[in-house]
């Protein structure tokens, strides 16, 4: 007799926090403006890499620039990235290449995680970055003109942020909410 188990393995529930990501992005660009830097433009490939890493950290409960061994994120954008999968021990460079970002372009990555701040979570993430010399260096790097951000909350209420930065890579797809800013920056 053959029996199939009715017990299904469950993964920790996660919640995408797009509004938190948008608020952190806006704060970073405001901070850059105060210091005389142009705003960063959001690129779809960098946004995808950032979102997938934030989601992976939230789903598998870790906090690191390098992915854990084992299965990794799903593709949130199956139209543009139908088979996106990060391998074990992928760092930021490998994740960016996996989303079709050119390997030779300069890049940087900031991570943050916090819990218990509610709507103040984005402000706390940005505050942690601008008070850290290494993170601040990425935010104010004159070579970085484009980026992406992802924010996901795990089942315990821990909120994970991943922000990617890069030098301009040419004609990669931008996010529609940045189209006007992109046109102004190119003229």
């Amino acid at each position: 007799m053959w029996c199939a188990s009715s017990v299904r393995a469950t993964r920790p529930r996660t919640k995408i926090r797009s509004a938190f990501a948008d608020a952190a992005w806006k704060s970073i660009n405001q901070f850059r403006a105060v210091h005389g830097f142009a705003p960063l433009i959001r690129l779809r490939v960098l946004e995808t890499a950032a979102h997938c890493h934030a989601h992976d950290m939230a789903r598998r409960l870790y906090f690191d620039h390098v992915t854990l061994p084992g299965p990794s994120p799903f593709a949130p954008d199956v139209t543009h990235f139908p088979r996106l999968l990060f391998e074990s021990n992928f760092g930021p460079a490998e994740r960016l290449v996996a989303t079709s970002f050119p390997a030779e372009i300069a890049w940087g990555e900031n991570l943050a995680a916090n819990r218990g701040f509610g709507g103040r979570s984005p402000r706390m993430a940005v505050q942690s970055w601008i008070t850290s010399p290494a993170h601040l260096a990425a935010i104010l790097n004159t070579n970085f003109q484009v980026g992406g951000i992802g924010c996901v909350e795990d089942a315990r209420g821990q909120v994970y942020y991943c922000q990617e930065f890069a030098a301009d890579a040419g004609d990669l797809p931008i996010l529609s909410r940045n189209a006007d800013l992109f046109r102004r920056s190119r003229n």
Side-chain angles (χ1 to χ4, degrees):
M1 182 173 171
W2 179 259
C3 291
S5 173
S6 62
V7 177
R8 187 173 66 137
T10 59
R11 296 188 186 228
R13 293 193 185 274
T14 59
K15 182 185 280 189
I16 296 170
R17 293 297 205 161
S18 297
F20 283 10
D22 291 344
W25 185 267
K26 183 178 178 182
S27 293
I28 290 296
N29 274 337
Q30 288 170 340
F31 185 82
R32 284 175 57 93
V34 166
H35 289 84
F37 292 86
L40 295 167
I41 305 299
R42 284 169 107 164
L43 289 184
R44 182 181 308 278
V45 295
L46 297 178
E47 193 90 355
T48 299
H51 171 78
C52 285
H53 191 52
H55 186 268
D56 191 46
M57 289 188 296
R59 195 183 97 216
R60 297 198 291 159
L61 306 177
Y62 72 98
F63 183 72
D64 200 310
H65 290 282
V66 178
T67 58
L68 291 178
S72 176
F74 65 98
D77 183 353
V78 294
T79 302
H80 295 94
F81 306 101
R83 290 182 290 275
L84 178 63
L85 195 66
F86 298 153
E87 299 292 327
S88 297
N89 300 312
F90 261 28
E94 292 89 358
R95 289 193 304 275
L96 294 177
V97 169
T99 60
S100 304
F101 194 77
E104 67 279 2
I105 303 294
W107 58 269
E109 179 179 83
N110 283 348
L111 302 179
N114 60 50
R115 178 175 22 197
F117 293 108
R120 295 188 332 265
S121 176
R123 188 171 356 124
M124 301 307 291
V126 172
Q127 187 64 33
S128 72
W129 289 333
I130 64 176
T131 57
S132 161
H135 295 96
L136 179 61
I139 291 167
L140 297 181
N141 187 318
T142 58
N143 294 318
F144 296 158
Q145 299 113 21
V146 295
I149 192 166
C151 181
V152 179
E153 184 176 342
D154 72 17
R156 306 166 305 162
Q158 180 92 351
V159 182
Y160 297 83
Y161 294 82
C162 179
Q163 184 172 26
E164 306 292 353
F165 302 89
D168 192 352
D171 294 326
L172 291 172
I174 60 167
L175 296 178
S176 61
R177 62 182 169 264
N178 282 342
D180 291 335
L181 180 61
F182 181 76
R183 280 190 212 78
R184 284 195 305 270
S185 71
R186 292 284 195 220
N187 294 330

